[in-house]
Amino acid sequence: MKLLAIDGNSIVNRAYFGIRMLNAPDGTPTNAVYGFLTILRRLLEEEQPEGLVVAFDLRAPTFRHLQYAGYKAQRKGMPEELAVQMPILKQVLDAMGIVRIEKEGFEADDLLGTVSRLCEKDGRECVIATGDRDSFQLITDRTRVLHIKTRMGQTETVDYTRTRFEEEYGFPPPRMVDLKALMGDASDNIPGVAGVGEKTALDLIRRYDSVERIYSELDELDIRDAVRKKLAAGAETARLSYALATIVTDVPLELDLDRTRWHENYQPALYDLFLKLGFTKFLEKWGISPPENEDHAAKTESTRNYTLLSTEAEALAAADEIADTGQVLCVHSTPERDCLAFCLHTAEENGTERTWLLDRSEFTGDWEHALQALLDRRIPKAGHSVKDLQREMTDHGIPIDSGGWCFDTALAAYLLDATAGSYDLRRLCVQYCGYEPYAGPSDAADGQMSLLEASESGAGRQTERRAILAGEAAAISALCDRLGAGLRAQGMEQLFERIELPLCPVLAEMERAGFLVDREALREFGESMTDTINALQESIWSQAGGAFNINSPKQLGAVLFEKLLLPAGKKTKTGWSTNADVLEKLRDKHPIISEILDYRMLTKLKSTYADGLLKVIEPDGRIRTNFQMTVTATGRLSSTEPNLQNIPIRREFGGQIRRMFVAGPGNVLVDADYSQIELRLLAHISGDENMLAAFQTGEDIHAVTASQVFGIPLEQVTKLQRSHAKAVNFGIVYGISAWSLAQDIGVFPNEAKAYMDAYLEKYHGVREYQKRIVEQAKTDGYVSTLYGRRRALPELKSSNFAQRSFGERVALNMPIQGTAADVIKLAMIAVWRRLKQEGLQARLILQVHDELIAECPEEEAEQVKAILTEEMQNAASLSVPLTVDARIGKSWAEAH
C-alpha cells in the first residue's frame, strides 16, 4: 500500500501566495482552498496512492516553543485572507472523506514523520508532499518527499528519493538535521552557528558527516582557524538547533493506517459546499454528484419531459399557443441545429415545465416554416449564446434582426462574473439553481453524457438526446429569473438590455458577412516572405559559422553564448535563455542579433497570417471570424478562428496584410476610428481641468502633456518629447509602472518615474482620481464603468504585494478600458440600426477595438462615412468631444 501524506499548512500557504485572489459568491476568499485542491488532484493523478492523510499544525505552542522561546518568533501572523480559509479547507477535506490529523504540542512535520515510520514498520511506502525542506531528513528507501513549489498559479514538483537527495546534497538524508544545526533556518528562527552559512555547513557535513563528530574532533579538523573559532563559540546553539530541527517520529497518534484508504468516499455535504464556494468546475473534475434527495431528483427528472412536434401543423399550433401565453420561450438546440427544444418560461402547479421539441429526423412538412413560426418576433425568447443561434438560424430563412430576444443566460452570467472563464450552461445551472439538468443514463461513461455525445451516438440514443436537450432548455428557463435578479441587484440590467443583448444580432450579421480577401495577392505575399526568411537564415548561418536550428533555444544559445561568446544572462535548467528580452539587450553587440529577431518575427507572422489566413478563406473568398462576447474582463470583444484584431498596426507588415483585405466588386470600405478615446474618457472621468481644456480646445494632447511635464512652451515641444509624453499618457491609463515605462521609451527607471511624477503633478485631477478609484475599489471590492459593467477585485485585499499591485493596476485601467468597450458597442448598435433605417446596402463587417469597418456600394460611401462618424461621435455624452477619423478605400490599408 502506498500512502500519500500531505503537509497541509505548507501546501495551503503555497497555494495562497501562488494563486491570484478568488472569492466565493458571498465574498469569502477561496484561492488557498482552490489551489490546495488543484495540487491535491494533481498529486493523486500522478501518485495513485491507496491511502491519503493530511497533517496540520495547531495554533497552540509546541514542545519546540517551550524549548526555545525564539522559535518562529519572527514570523508574522497568518494573513487574515488565509486564516479564514483554514477551517473551510478542513471542512472540505472532511466532506471528501480524507483523514486529517492534528496533535497539540506537535507540528505537522512531526505527524508526517510519525506516519512515515508507521508505514515503514508496516511494510508500506510513504510519499510526503510538502513545500518545505524539513522533511528531507525523513527520506529512506520506503519514504520519499515530493517537494512542491507554486508560483503564479504554476506548480513544480521535485521527487526526492534517497538517491536523488544524496546526488544533490552529498550526504545521507538524516544528516539534513546536522546541516540545519550548523547553518540554522531563518524561516523557523533556528539560530545555528553564528557566521556559518550554507556553503560552509554543506562542506563540513560532506567531509565530517555529523555535528557530533565535528565537535568531538574540532581541534583536529582540517578547517580554517576562523571557522574553528565560530564553531567553538556556537557549540551550544548548534546543539540547540539540532534538537529544534529534528523531526519527532514517535508522536502518540491513534491512527489506523487502513483507515486512511481513500476511494472518493464523498459525503453528501460536499456538493453543496462546493456550490457555496463557487467551485462548480470541481464538481465535474472530482466527479461529485448532487445529493440523492427527492426534491433534486424530481427537478432533474421533470426537465426531461417534452412534447414532440412531428408535423408542420403541430408546430404552427404550438407557436400560436405559445404566443397567446405572452410568456418567454426558452430556446436551445443541438450543435448541428437539427433538433431544438422550446421551453415555456412558466411552470404548472406541480413544477413541471412545458417543453416542445422539433427534431428534423422525425419531422414532416416545411422545416423552415415551422422554425419561423416558433421563433417569430412576437414571441419573447431567451437562449444561451443568442448570437450564435441567431447566426445559424439564417440558414433556415430566419432574418438575424427578426427580434423578440429578451434574455441570454451566457451573457448575463458573464456580466455577473467577468473573470469566470467558462459559462457552460450545465455548470451555471448547478451554480445558480442548485440542481443538474438531466444528463443521460447513469450507465454512461462517467455518469453523464453531453449533448454532443448524445447527438453522435446513433439512432438508438435519439430519445436520450431529446431528453438532454429538453433538460437544458429547462435550465435556461430556471436561470433566467436568478441571473436576471443578479443583474438587477448589481445595477447591470440597463447594461444588459441596452448594450450586450442588442449587440448579438449586430455581431451575428458581421460574422455572416465576413471580409473579402485577395487570395492570390496573399499567396504571393507569403512566397515573398519565404524568400526573405531564407535569405535571413543563410546570413545567420554564415555569421554563426555553420547551419543550426534557429528555432531551437538550446542550439541558438550555444551559438550566441558559447561560440560567439556574447554576454549571456542566467542559464536555466534547459540551457541559455534566448527570449526576446534577452536578445533585445544584445542587439548592439553583434549584427546577428537583429537578423535573428527579424527571422523570428517573419516566421511567426508568415505562419499566423500569410499561411494561416489562406487556410481559412471560404469558397466565396471571404474570411469569417467569430466575435467572442464573454472572454475579456473589460468587456472588449475578441476575435477568434481567425483573430483579425491582432494584425500588427505599426509595422510595415501589418499594412501589407491589410492591403489583402478588400471590398467586393463595386464596393468600397469605410473605416472609422475613435481618436484617443481612452484619454478622453480619462479626462471625463477624472475631471482634470488641464486635460479637459486640451480636448475641448482641440489641442494636441500629447504635445500639451509634453509642455506640462517638461515645463516648456507648447511650440518648443520636440518630436521625441511628444513621443515620451504620449507613452506617459497611455501608460497612466494602463496603470504602467516606472520600470515598464522606462523599457518602453528607452530611459532609466528613475527618469521615467520623474516623468510620471511631473505628469501627476500637472494633471492633479488624474492623480486624485487614481487615489479615489483605488480606495473606492478596496471598499466596494470591485470597479465599474460609466455604464455599470463590473470587475471584481479580490486582489486588493490580498496581503501579497504582487497580487495587491495587480489589483490596483486593474482598478486604475478597467473603468477606462471598460467604458471604451461599452461606447464602441453602443456605436455599433447605433450604426447597424441607422444603416437599416435608411435602407442602405452597407453592412458592418469588422470591429477592432476602437475601429469599425463597413462595406458598401461605391455610391453609398459618403453617406455611410457620415453615418459612422455621427453615430460614433454621439454614442456617449461626455464633457469632452468624441472625435472620429473616417476614410474610404478599396482595401483595409487604403481606408485605415
Side-chain angles (χ1 to χ4, degrees):
M1 171 183 167
K2 181 199 290 186
L3 174 69
L4 175 62
I6 296 176
D7 185 343
N9 286 80
S10 172
I11 300 304
V12 78
N13 264 282
R14 275 147 186 80
Y16 172 77
F17 287 107
I19 295 178
R20 69 178 181 87
M21 288 298 298
L22 300 172
N23 279 357
D26 65 0
T28 303
T30 58
N31 66 318
V33 180
Y34 183 93
F36 184 98
L37 292 174
T38 300
I39 294 171
L40 173 59
R41 181 169 179 80
R42 175 179 166 181
L43 292 173
L44 292 173
E45 290 174 348
E46 293 176 351
E47 292 295 330
Q48 297 290 313
E50 291 86 6
L52 179 60
V53 63
V54 182
F56 286 99
D57 297 332
L58 290 175
R59 298 187 68 176
T62 68
F63 71 91
R64 293 182 180 85
H65 294 90
L66 300 177
Q67 198 171 6
Y68 175 53
Y71 183 67
K72 294 186 178 181
Q74 88 293 355
R75 285 195 179 182
K76 297 180 180 179
M78 183 180 291
E80 182 182 353
E81 299 86 359
L82 175 56
V84 299
Q85 296 184 64
M86 293 302 294
I88 297 173
L89 174 60
K90 294 178 182 181
Q91 186 181 3
V92 167
L93 294 175
D94 292 346
M96 294 180 77
I98 296 173
V99 172
R100 178 167 57 83
I101 54 175
E102 302 166 332
K103 187 75 173 180
E104 189 168 323
F106 297 92
E107 295 179 72
D109 286 341
D110 302 316
L111 307 182
L112 295 172
T114 301
V115 168
S116 70
R117 297 305 175 252
L118 289 174
C119 285
E120 293 190 11
K121 289 178 184 178
D122 208 31
R124 311 185 192 213
E125 178 186 358
C126 182
V127 181
I128 298 173
T130 179
D132 300 329
R133 297 178 180 271
D134 300 345
S135 293
F136 285 178
Q137 63 186 273
L138 301 172
I139 296 172
T140 66
D141 291 333
R142 285 191 174 274
T143 299
R144 54 193 173 87
V145 171
L146 298 177
H147 188 237
I148 296 172
K149 302 176 184 178
T150 301
R151 180 177 177 82
M152 299 305 292
Q154 299 297 315
T155 300
E156 177 187 359
T157 304
V158 181
D159 188 356
Y160 278 94
T161 60
R162 178 194 288 272
T163 301
R164 170 66 183 267
F165 178 88
E166 291 179 353
E167 286 176 352
E168 183 171 322
Y169 283 88
F171 51 77
R175 295 309 176 201
M176 192 70 179
V177 182
D178 300 80
L179 179 68
K180 279 201 170 189
L182 295 179
M183 63 178 281
D185 186 342
S187 65
D188 290 339
N189 205 32
I190 295 176
V193 175
V196 173
E198 182 176 9
K199 184 177 179 180
T200 300
L202 280 169
D203 177 66
L204 289 169
I205 299 302
R206 286 167 181 166
R207 292 168 61 194
Y208 301 110
D209 188 51
S210 68
V211 168
E212 181 179 355
R213 180 184 171 190
I214 287 171
Y215 277 102
S216 64
E217 302 175 9
L218 185 58
D219 293 337
E220 292 81 33
L221 298 182
D222 182 18
I223 57 177
R224 291 181 289 113
D225 288 340
V227 174
R228 197 186 322 275
K229 290 179 181 179
K230 291 175 182 176
L231 289 170
E236 184 177 344
T237 57
R239 293 186 175 92
L240 171 64
S241 298
Y242 186 94
L244 293 173
T246 301
I247 291 176
V248 175
T249 58
D250 57 355
V251 177
L253 287 177
E254 297 179 3
L255 179 66
D256 181 354
L257 292 180
D258 289 331
R259 193 170 65 85
T260 67
R261 289 184 179 274
W262 187 68
H263 302 290
E264 299 184 359
N265 45 327
Y266 306 128
Q267 297 178 11
L270 185 61
Y271 184 87
D272 291 333
L273 183 55
F274 273 14
L275 282 184
K276 181 181 178 182
L277 295 173
F279 292 170
T280 52
K281 292 181 181 178
F282 279 166
L283 294 175
E284 180 181 342
K285 287 184 178 180
W286 287 87
I288 300 168
S289 301
E292 296 184 4
N293 60 64
E294 293 183 4
D295 290 342
H296 183 277
K299 181 64 175 174
T300 301
E301 188 63 25
S302 70
T303 61
R304 64 177 295 185
N305 300 320
Y306 59 87
T307 299
L308 183 64
L309 304 173
S310 301
T311 68
E312 183 180 346
E314 290 175 351
L316 297 179
D320 288 337
E321 181 184 350
I322 292 166
D324 289 342
T325 67
Q327 300 293 328
V328 174
L329 187 66
C330 299
V331 184
H332 196 49
S333 76
T334 57
E336 303 83 8
R337 314 296 185 193
D338 62 346
C339 188
L340 291 89
F342 303 86
C343 178
L344 199 61
H345 184 57
T346 186
E348 299 176 353
E349 292 183 2
N350 61 5
T352 302
E353 284 87 356
R354 295 192 62 193
T355 303
W356 296 265
L357 213 82
L358 271 183
D359 190 336
R360 193 162 193 169
S361 66
E362 292 189 28
F363 184 83
T364 57
D366 189 330
W367 173 260
E368 278 74 19
H369 190 205
L371 282 179
Q372 290 168 11
L374 287 162
L375 295 175
D376 190 279
R377 68 179 303 116
R378 63 186 175 142
I379 298 174
K381 297 172 290 294
H384 190 77
S385 299
V386 165
K387 181 260 296 179
D388 297 336
L389 187 59
Q390 289 177 323
R391 183 192 63 229
E392 296 299 329
M393 285 299 102
T394 58
D395 290 337
H396 303 294
I398 300 172
I400 283 175
D401 60 344
S402 60
W405 294 96
C406 62
F407 205 80
D408 185 326
T409 48
L411 284 178
Y414 163 66
L415 291 184
L416 292 174
D417 187 357
T419 58
S422 171
Y423 303 96
D424 175 74
L425 174 59
R426 305 183 68 84
R427 188 174 294 148
L428 291 177
C429 189
V430 169
Q431 178 180 350
Y432 286 96
C433 305
Y435 81 93
E436 189 170 9
Y438 180 71
S442 58
D443 60 349
D446 61 353
Q448 294 187 2
M449 178 174 63
S450 74
L451 186 56
L452 180 60
E453 292 169 335
S455 67
E456 293 177 344
S457 56
R461 303 294 291 278
Q462 190 77 310
T463 300
E464 292 302 335
R465 179 178 80 148
R466 293 171 182 163
I468 292 170
L469 190 63
E472 293 184 349
I476 294 174
S477 177
L479 281 165
C480 284
D481 288 338
R482 289 165 176 79
L483 295 176
L487 292 176
R488 289 189 292 275
Q490 294 192 21
M492 288 192 284
E493 190 175 21
Q494 287 295 312
L495 172 69
F496 178 81
E497 294 177 352
R498 185 183 170 196
I499 299 179
E500 294 297 323
L501 194 61
L503 188 65
C504 290
V506 181
L507 296 177
E509 189 172 274
M510 291 168 65
E511 290 179 353
R512 294 291 295 180
F515 208 142
L516 186 64
V517 176
D518 187 334
R519 186 195 302 266
E520 186 59 26
L522 185 60
R523 185 189 62 77
E524 292 177 356
F525 179 59
E527 290 177 355
S528 70
M529 289 186 71
T530 299
D531 294 339
T532 304
I533 289 169
N534 289 339
L536 280 171
Q537 178 177 267
E538 291 299 324
S539 177
I540 292 168
W541 284 353
S542 175
Q543 294 180 71
F548 68 99
N549 184 355
I550 303 171
N551 294 316
S552 166
K554 184 176 181 180
Q555 293 184 38
L556 179 60
V559 167
L560 297 180
F561 306 125
E562 296 172 15
K563 194 171 184 179
L564 299 180
L565 299 177
L566 295 178
K570 186 177 180 181
K571 195 171 185 179
T572 65
K573 293 180 180 179
T574 56
W576 297 105
S577 174
T578 60
N579 62 31
D581 289 340
V582 170
L583 295 187
E584 282 292 347
K585 294 175 182 177
L586 298 173
R587 190 183 280 273
D588 61 346
K589 304 296 182 183
H590 197 288
I592 196 175
I593 300 299
S594 293
E595 294 193 345
I596 290 170
L597 287 169
D598 288 345
Y599 175 89
R600 280 185 174 178
M601 178 192 71
L602 289 176
T603 53
K604 181 178 180 180
L605 293 178
K606 180 180 185 299
S607 172
T608 303
Y609 299 109
D611 297 341
L613 291 177
L614 274 174
K615 295 176 182 177
V616 294
I617 298 177
E618 298 190 21
D620 63 355
R622 304 182 84 88
I623 286 178
R624 291 176 171 85
T625 188
N626 292 294
F627 292 103
Q628 303 297 328
M629 302 178 70
T630 61
V631 171
T632 70
T634 60
R636 271 188 168 185
L637 296 173
S638 62
S639 163
T640 60
E641 300 177 342
N643 185 349
L644 298 183
Q645 293 184 333
N646 68 346
I647 295 175
I649 296 175
R650 293 179 179 85
R651 294 184 181 136
E652 179 186 353
F653 175 86
Q656 292 175 305
I657 286 291
R658 281 174 167 78
R659 278 196 284 273
M660 315 300 171
F661 286 82
V662 297
N667 287 349
V668 292
L669 300 176
V670 181
D671 187 314
D673 196 356
Y674 277 119
S675 174
Q676 303 163 339
I677 185 173
E678 290 181 343
L679 287 178
R680 293 172 188 273
L681 287 170
L682 177 60
H684 173 80
I685 293 174
S686 68
D688 186 279
E689 294 178 357
N690 290 327
M691 191 174 285
L692 287 171
F695 281 122
Q696 288 165 350
T697 57
E699 292 179 300
D700 180 345
I701 185 64
H702 302 312
V704 170
T705 297
S707 173
Q708 295 278 349
V709 169
F710 298 113
I712 57 177
L714 187 60
E715 61 275 9
Q716 294 181 19
V717 171
T718 66
K719 185 176 180 180
L720 180 62
Q721 288 172 328
R722 183 186 182 278
S723 176
H724 285 181
K726 181 178 180 180
V728 176
N729 268 327
F730 286 111
I732 292 294
V733 172
Y734 285 87
I736 199 171
S737 67
W739 186 87
S740 296
L741 178 62
Q743 294 288 106
D744 289 346
I745 63 179
V747 299
F748 290 109
N750 61 341
E751 189 175 351
K753 185 177 185 305
Y755 289 166
M756 295 178 70
D757 290 343
Y759 177 99
L760 294 174
E761 182 63 31
K762 297 297 182 180
Y763 292 113
H764 53 84
V766 174
R767 180 186 60 206
E768 294 306 313
Y769 158 72
Q770 290 188 330
K771 291 179 181 178
R772 184 172 67 251
I773 194 66
V774 170
E775 290 305 313
Q776 189 64 44
K778 289 178 180 178
T779 301
D780 296 339
Y782 65 88
V783 286
S784 60
T785 69
L786 291 181
Y787 296 90
R789 184 185 303 276
R790 288 190 182 186
R791 162 89 185 255
L793 286 175
E795 294 87 354
L796 289 174
K797 295 183 179 180
S798 173
S799 55
N800 180 284
F801 176 78
Q803 291 189 11
R804 196 167 59 251
S805 297
F806 168 78
E808 290 176 357
R809 289 195 299 274
V810 173
L812 293 176
N813 66 48
M814 190 275 173
I816 307 297
Q817 292 183 45
T819 299
D822 293 338
V823 170
I824 192 71
K825 287 179 176 180
L826 284 167
M828 293 172 71
I829 296 165
V831 168
W832 185 76
R833 289 173 175 168
R834 178 96 174 268
L835 294 176
K836 292 187 178 300
Q837 288 168 3
E838 299 196 10
L840 299 174
Q841 296 182 49
R843 54 187 177 175
L844 287 172
I845 60 173
L846 188 62
Q847 184 260 13
V848 181
H849 306 317
D850 304 329
E851 174 186 4
L852 292 182
I853 303 173
E855 184 178 12
C856 66
E858 292 183 19
E859 60 271 19
E860 294 181 358
E862 290 299 332
Q863 186 178 357
V864 171
K865 178 181 176 182
I867 289 173
L868 280 167
T869 302
E870 290 171 18
E871 297 299 342
M872 291 176 70
Q873 288 179 344
N874 295 322
S877 179
L878 306 176
S879 52
V880 296
L882 282 175
T883 61
V884 174
D885 297 321
R887 297 180 181 84
I888 300 169
K890 281 288 190 178
S891 71
W892 187 0
E894 187 180 327
H896 185 68

